[in-house]
Amino acid sequence: MTSTHLEALASENGLERVGARPPFFRYLAATWHRRDFAATLARYRLQASMSENRLGLGWVVLRPILNAALFGTIFGLILPDSTRPDNFVPFLIVGFFIFEYFSSTLSGGARSIVGARSLVRSLTFPRILLPLAVVIRQLVELIPMLIVMIVILIVLGEPITWWWLMLIPVMMLMTVFNTGIALITARLTVHVRDLTQIIPLVSRVVFYTSGIFFDLEKVLADEPTLLTLARLNPVHDFIALVRGYMVSGNPIEPFMWWIAIGASLVTFGFGLVYFWKAEERYGRD
Amino acid sequence: MTDATVDTTRPTVIVDDVHIKYKTFASGKAASSTRALLQRQKGVRIVHAVKGVSFVAHEGESIGVIGHNGSGKSSLMRAIAGLQQPASGGVYASSQPALLGVNAALLGDLSGSKNVILGSLALGHSRAEAEENYQGIVDFSGLEEFIDLPMKTYSSGMSARLRFSIAVSRDHRILLVDEALSVGDKEFRAKSEARIRELRDTAGTVFLVSHSMRSILDTCSRVIWIDHGELKMDGDAEEVVAAYAEST
């Protein structure tokens, strides 16, 4: 029997190609149907990481605090006073906590497929569940982080206002952005395994260009082109928005919202399609 | 090939000229220059594991798959299950085939019990169903006392038993069993063979990869012999097994 005969026989009997990438919306429906899998995987991974070291979930909160202390001390001494933002410590704390959310999703997303090879090679399910599980886990970890951040801000004497509630929509938007990033890096590392080596570097670059321990507006005041570029970095805008609503002396400008919303929608939409396109590739080698 | 015997029953799996290739880094050599990084790497070796296999399987058939180690049997099974996309050709099936293999743990750093729940969820059960099935799966595996240990601490036999138990907790119309039975002990093997017959009798199609000719002859009516990635013989179980035994 020739190949064309077999193909005809298959379609005659209503047989479907195995492992074929389903149409986009059917793919999303299948993903929604198995959402429990992603949520449970996230929960189990979280529990496993908590039992690994003695402080468990404490590290989620301690890491940004220690980072903030280290960088705050070093750059507080090095940087000239003119570039140091007003209200330095709350400024720094917010920067580190919000950045931590981005960087952990970035590195988790990059490992989500390549790090679950035996699972991918033994069971069939929409692969998108793996990067989504990473985002869910980071979102769960974000809650204690935000609580600690708020406590620190209160202790440092920041006035509590109704504007603090704006933290919720900003973080929701950032989650949409992070999901897109996780989906894109999840596929990229499947194509080019070497990228896992570069991810920490990318994370560093975003770190230094997001103005976490210095005020970009002040440092780049004489360089309008660079300043525009820096403002286009969505991570910077998410941090700036949180600072604007929670730390006094940080004005919010409309462009921050526009860039945050635009970048989130574009990254998420592109990420979904980009990840889905390669569904048949995952677990192939 | 015995293509002439056109079967009147409904086909369930059609394997259409499937080729499978693996890209491997033969010696782990680094790229010799920055330029080489951008080009096709020399150190990469393409392994052509399956070279154009075609056959049709029907409802209620149990098909044995035999061949040497490294002949491409497992690759072919993975392709039928949709876990490995063929380089060319295609596999068509009436429903999603399920593969039971002897691979490593699902998620090694998680305990057996968590793997059971995750496995059920990945198979498409709801949360409630997964919890309902949990006890049945654990009982079938007979690993009650080890169920809270991380799966990476399991022996290969134990982990195969757990995976098998998870996979058969759901009724599959098409089941691929890849040497999963050979690792279990005698008692578990008998239990799982009974379960496979049960699944086959509920009008499914079963593929069984094994090196034990006895268990092939016991459970299969038709046998496919794969040799160096090519389909060498396809036909009546006893005929093919006899020819295979002669060649080795």
Side-chain angles (χ1 to χ4, degrees), chain B residues 151-208:
Chain B
M151 215 168 151
K152 63 184 167 201
T153 64
Y154 285 20
S155 72
S156 56
M158 285 159 73
S159 114
R161 279 164 71 151
L162 193 63
R163 288 164 50 92
F164 182 86
S165 311
I166 295 170
V168 295
S169 70
R170 183 166 195 155
D171 283 335
H172 301 286
R173 308 280 297 164
I174 303 165
L175 189 63
L176 313 162
V177 184
D178 188 356
E179 294 180 84
L181 308 181
S182 52
V183 277
D185 49 36
K186 205 172 160 191
E187 186 198 336
F188 186 73
R189 203 183 311 172
K191 205 154 67 168
S192 44
E193 271 175 354
R195 180 76 181 120
I196 286 178
R197 269 194 288 273
E198 207 178 295
L199 286 168
R200 189 192 58 200
D201 293 343
T202 53
T205 304
V206 178
F207 289 84
L208 181 66

Side-chain angles (χ1 to χ4, degrees), chain A residues 1 3 6-7 10 13 16-19 34 36 40-41 43-45 47 118 121-122 124 280 284, chain B residues 3 10-11 14 16 56 78 80 82-85 91-93 96 105-107 114 118 121-122 127 163:
Chain A
M1 247 186 273
S3 196
L6 287 173
E7 245 185 273
N13 288 281
E16 279 179 48
R17 199 159 76 76
V18 176
R34 299 196 184 186
D36 275 345
T40 310
L41 179 60
R43 193 155 54 93
Y44 286 169
R45 283 257 169 85
Q47 284 171 358
S118 60
R121 293 181 93 173
S122 49
T124 24
E280 297 184 12
R284 188 165 157 175
Chain B
D3 284 338
R10 230 173 74 81
I14 295 178
D16 176 15
V56 180
R78 275 214 299 279
I80 295 176
L83 298 166
Q84 165 100 41
Q85 281 305 306
V91 177
Y92 305 86
Q96 174 63 48
L106 300 173
L107 287 162
K114 287 177 175 172
L118 278 176
L121 291 173
R127 179 82 219 186
R163 288 164 50 92

